[in-house]
Amino acid sequence: MLSGSDTGIGHALAKYLDSLGFVVFAGVLNKDGPGAEELRRCCSQRLSVLQLDITNTTQVKEAYLTVSEKVQNAGLWGVVNNAGILGFPADGELLPMSTYRHCMEVNFFGAVEVSKTFLPLLRKSRGRLVNMSSMAGGIPLPRYAAYGASKAALSMFSGVMRQELSKWGIKVMAIHPSGFRTGIEGTAEQWDRQEKELMENLPAATRQAYGEEYLLGLRNYLLHLPSLCAPDLSPVLGSVLHALLARRPQGLYTPGRGAYIPLCIFCCFPLWLYDLF
């Protein structure tokens, strides 16, 4: 069972696992949307599309009941918490509190609720829990205070659950991809709405401290963000597959070119050197 299958990594992963013969339960934010329709059209009948807004407790419970009915006593082999949002990438002081709350609600609390709800099925199969975190969840990155904090919480949750669930043979892994073009960047309308909220809530003193030129430059950063991300998702898909199937999966995966390098610098060298890097 995986969440966030409408677009990006979740969409590609649903297709990939289906092509390998998995029975896939693909949770989507909109079961009537183009992503869900494409999954129904392109994938085998083994794949089931589930309406799953992970911030909606009722939908999470309904998804659990649907999956339970289909797998019955066999249990569920894997849960992949992939659904997530980026939020407006800007300096932490500039971001409205709503951005922090929304990132935590989706990226952390939603994933925790899905995990807790589906754990009885994983316990039956001694299965796998895979949480899609981010490189920003392991190291501090400028302009990702809200997103990074929510993903760091998810990574810590993964580590603790890995320790606590081992007594039942359940393996828990966190994925920390580097920059990939996933669609999480959002649409122009979403950015316009979030940018408007950001600008309207800025105190005059803060606006003056940063300067109009810098604030306008945030939009240019957004426009260039996709060009900084790798279009080929296969390293991430391969990491998830290994996490699901390997006899001894890694606790942490860092797919993407050089994704482990900043993490190594952050962990092994003085902080001033990492900040300079």
Side-chain angles (χ1 to χ4, degrees):
M1 200 288 294
L2 65 144
S3 61
S5 301
D6 304 74
T7 59
I9 291 173
H11 188 79
L13 184 60
K15 289 181 175 179
Y16 180 55
L17 295 177
D18 178 74
S19 71
L20 295 176
F22 282 77
V23 175
V24 179
F25 300 97
V28 294
L29 186 60
N30 182 6
K31 67 177 181 179
D32 299 317
E37 289 299 328
E38 185 177 348
L39 290 178
R40 293 189 188 97
R41 185 175 62 253
C42 298
C43 296
S44 72
Q45 293 185 347
R46 289 187 306 273
L47 183 140
S48 301
V49 175
L50 306 176
Q51 175 62 44
L52 182 59
D53 176 350
I54 63 172
T55 65
N56 186 316
T57 298
T58 300
Q59 290 189 15
V60 173
K61 290 180 179 178
E62 289 175 349
Y64 172 77
L65 292 174
T66 299
V67 174
S68 297
E69 186 178 345
K70 292 194 176 184
V71 301
Q72 296 187 359
N73 291 329
L76 181 68
W77 178 250
V79 170
V80 182
N81 282 309
N82 168 75
I85 60 167
L86 179 61
F88 196 94
D91 300 62
E93 183 183 7
L94 303 177
L95 292 172
M97 287 305 300
S98 60
T99 299
Y100 286 94
R101 293 189 179 99
H102 195 197
C103 282
M104 289 299 292
E105 190 66 33
V106 178
N107 298 343
F108 179 60
F109 292 124
V112 170
E113 181 156 13
V114 169
S115 301
K116 284 166 59 65
T117 301
F118 281 86
L119 273 175
L121 296 181
L122 293 182
R123 190 173 284 112
K124 287 182 180 180
S125 63
R126 298 168 65 89
R128 309 288 170 90
L129 175 62
V130 183
N131 291 317
M132 190 67 66
S133 184
S134 167
M135 186 166 69
I139 56 174
L141 294 175
R143 296 183 177 174
Y144 293 97
Y147 176 75
S150 64
K151 289 297 190 178
L154 180 60
S155 296
M156 183 58 70
F157 172 75
S158 299
V160 173
M161 297 302 279
R162 183 182 68 250
Q163 296 168 346
E164 294 177 348
L165 297 177
S166 62
K167 68 183 77 172
W168 290 286
I170 299 173
K171 292 181 169 58
V172 183
M173 288 69 62
I175 314 287
H176 281 204
S178 61
F180 287 90
R181 205 173 300 168
T182 65
I184 197 175
E185 300 88 358
T187 65
E189 288 183 3
Q190 290 172 325
W191 289 135
D192 288 340
R193 185 169 61 251
Q194 292 186 59
E195 184 181 36
K196 182 181 179 182
E197 182 184 6
L198 184 150
M199 293 301 182
E200 288 179 348
N201 285 279
L202 273 187
T206 306
R207 181 186 288 269
Q208 183 178 0
Y210 281 84
E212 294 297 328
E213 184 178 352
Y214 182 84
L215 296 174
L216 291 173
L218 295 175
R219 170 51 67 107
N220 293 328
Y221 174 76
L222 277 174
L223 294 175
H224 289 93
L225 191 57
S227 66
L228 303 174
C229 300
D232 180 16
L233 299 177
S234 58
V236 186
L237 304 185
S239 292
V240 175
L241 184 66
H242 190 274
L244 288 172
L245 295 184
R247 184 180 296 273
R248 293 183 178 179
Q250 304 169 26
L252 173 65
Y253 292 82
T254 55
R257 184 177 300 175
Y260 64 92
I261 295 176
L263 182 62
C264 289
I265 295 175
F266 177 70
C267 294
C268 302
F269 291 89
L271 284 179
W272 66 263
L273 183 61
Y274 171 79
D275 290 343
L276 184 63
F277 172 81

